[in-house]
Amino acid sequence: RVAEILAGWEFERVQDRGLDEIFHIVDERTRQKVESPVDKVLKSSKAELGADFEVLLAMDGGERPISSKAALIRSSDGAVTGIVMVFRDVAREREIERLKQDFISSISHELRTPLTSIKAYTETILSDSDMAEETKRQLLGIIDEESNRLAGLIEGLLEISRIESGTMKIVREPVDIVAVSRKVLTALQALADKKNVRLESDIDDDLAIFEGDEDKIQSALTNLVNNAIKFTHQDGRVCVSVRQRDDQLVMRVSDTGMGIPKEALPRIFDRFYRVPHPGKHIQGTGLGLAIVRKIVTMHGGRIEVESELNRGTTFTIFLPLTAAALPESQPAN
């Protein structure tokens, strides 16, 4: 049945046809037909693997990247009585490999950028002993800013690693979500004031007890509010709303900022992805929203986003109030 799915043929239609007609294999790069593993094993009398980058062309013209292998079947006296072939669909493995390469490439780029700036400005200061103090302070300020960015990137990578390796666990305890929300707003008030952004709250003081990991929920909310301030213009507004809906906690962060293009919405939770804003340079690691989604998912919740370009963005987190409210298929930790 698996072979039928891979090749797109039904057994009844192929049992009298030639093998190469059914399992038509080409090189993904050259598009040339490759030697069948059956032919290889008949020549060598040893188990044979197919080549890299093989593609199986299905009956309907579809393509599947495959790994193939063939081996002789021998009778007790050593005579060859047949051949067994194994085809394996490796599309998922190819995708994982691509993602890994993209991840390494992104890390290299993201680390190189602040390091290059730090090195360049440090060398400038060291090479000019007569540099004016004001100029030196400006360059040191840039070095400090890039160092903070580098530290944030490394911490983000460590956080992602802890989450995906399973070493980071959710510790569920009763959490005063009102206090947590107000703590986040207080901590980010200075940043909002610096941009003259009005920071508003609409928090229900009569919420049921939420069972979750306080530090991680605070981290997720801080990330969302910090982003909202960062991407909101001068004299804009950011609002944090916390409400209870049945057995769910609903946390909403809205802003009147730049908004997100519709085509970028499917990717905003990807690692290292940053929404392009032509003509504007807004620093960030591209890891924050990926971490937020991981934290929310680990609590058995979900996060949604709505946005309109140049009108603003709203992120909404839905969290079960207690572990008992989780769906049966969702583990508490």
Side-chain angles (χ1 to χ4, degrees):
R1 178 59 188 152
V2 174
E4 288 182 327
I5 294 171
L6 283 174
W9 293 86
E10 294 178 356
F11 175 70
E12 289 74 13
R13 298 181 59 188
V14 303
Q15 55 183 326
D16 295 321
R17 292 174 180 261
L19 188 69
D20 289 344
E21 184 182 352
I22 309 309
F23 296 105
H24 188 54
I25 307 170
V26 300
D27 186 288
E28 186 176 30
R29 297 161 299 184
T30 66
R31 311 306 296 178
Q32 297 298 310
K33 183 179 178 180
V34 301
E35 187 177 16
S36 164
V38 169
D39 294 333
K40 289 181 182 179
V41 77
L42 286 173
K43 291 176 183 177
S44 68
S45 296
K46 298 178 182 178
E48 290 286 344
L49 292 172
D52 293 333
F53 302 103
E54 286 185 344
V55 171
L56 177 65
L57 301 183
M59 183 183 69
D60 62 1
E63 300 183 1
R64 290 179 185 269
I66 59 165
S67 170
S68 63
K69 186 175 183 178
L72 296 175
I73 301 173
R74 298 181 183 273
S75 62
S76 58
D77 60 1
V80 175
T81 59
I83 295 173
V84 61
M85 281 197 308
V86 177
F87 289 98
R88 190 161 56 86
D89 187 338
V90 294
R92 176 60 179 159
E93 293 169 25
R94 290 275 190 91
E95 177 64 13
I96 290 173
E97 184 64 27
R98 184 190 67 78
L99 290 173
K100 185 170 71 174
Q101 293 300 325
D102 289 348
F103 182 64
I104 292 171
S105 176
S106 296
I107 290 176
S108 301
H109 173 74
E110 295 296 335
L111 290 175
R112 186 184 299 117
T113 302
L115 281 173
T116 300
S117 296
I118 291 169
K119 182 175 175 57
Y121 288 119
T122 301
E123 288 178 346
T124 301
I125 293 172
L126 291 174
S127 65
D128 188 356
S129 57
D130 298 323
M131 180 179 292
E133 284 300 315
E134 179 62 26
T135 302
K136 186 181 294 185
R137 277 195 297 272
Q138 289 177 351
L139 296 184
L140 288 172
I142 295 173
I143 291 172
D144 181 61
E145 188 176 289
E146 292 295 324
S147 298
N148 289 334
R149 179 183 171 192
L150 186 60
L153 176 61
I154 292 171
E155 181 56 37
L157 287 170
L158 290 173
E159 188 79 349
I160 286 284
S161 177
R162 285 191 289 266
I163 292 171
E164 296 193 341
S165 66
T167 58
M168 188 180 88
K169 303 294 183 182
I170 294 297
V171 180
R172 289 186 176 274
E173 297 175 331
V175 177
D176 185 345
I177 203 68
V178 174
V180 169
S181 302
R182 299 202 186 286
K183 189 187 298 184
V184 170
L185 291 170
T186 300
L188 293 175
Q189 186 63 59
L191 179 63
D193 291 342
K194 188 176 180 180
K195 290 190 66 176
N196 200 29
V197 170
R198 192 164 74 253
L199 201 53
E200 300 177 351
S201 63
D202 180 18
I203 302 172
D204 187 353
D205 291 324
D206 189 26
L207 294 171
I209 294 297
F210 168 69
E211 292 181 7
D213 192 307
E214 180 172 332
D215 289 342
K216 293 177 180 59
I217 292 298
Q218 181 175 326
S219 172
L221 186 58
T222 297
N223 197 297
L224 291 180
V225 178
N226 182 70
N227 273 359
I229 295 171
K230 188 191 321 183
F231 290 99
T232 296
H233 305 292
Q234 294 274 348
D235 302 316
R237 180 174 57 85
V238 171
C239 181
V240 176
S241 166
V242 183
R243 286 280 182 269
Q244 182 178 336
R245 183 185 300 172
D246 299 325
D247 59 355
Q248 283 190 322
L249 184 70
V250 182
M251 307 171 71
R252 184 171 285 113
V253 178
S254 303
D255 65 61
T256 59
M258 302 176 187
I260 302 170
K262 186 178 296 185
E263 62 273 14
L265 286 173
R267 295 196 58 195
I268 58 169
F269 295 108
D270 292 352
R271 289 174 298 188
F272 295 112
Y273 183 73
R274 286 183 284 184
V275 177
H277 291 287
K280 295 182 174 62
H281 177 66
I282 300 175
Q283 287 198 353
T285 63
L287 290 172
L289 288 178
I291 293 172
V292 169
R293 184 169 65 172
K294 289 284 187 182
I295 290 173
V296 171
T297 301
M298 291 179 75
H299 278 82
R302 71 182 194 279
I303 182 169
E304 297 179 354
V305 58
E306 299 174 70
S307 188
E308 188 175 346
L309 204 56
N310 299 318
R311 296 291 298 273
T313 302
T314 297
F315 285 92
T316 306
I317 293 175
F318 301 88
L319 294 169
L321 282 168
T322 65
L326 288 169
E328 290 184 6
S329 60
Q330 171 66 50
N333 290 327

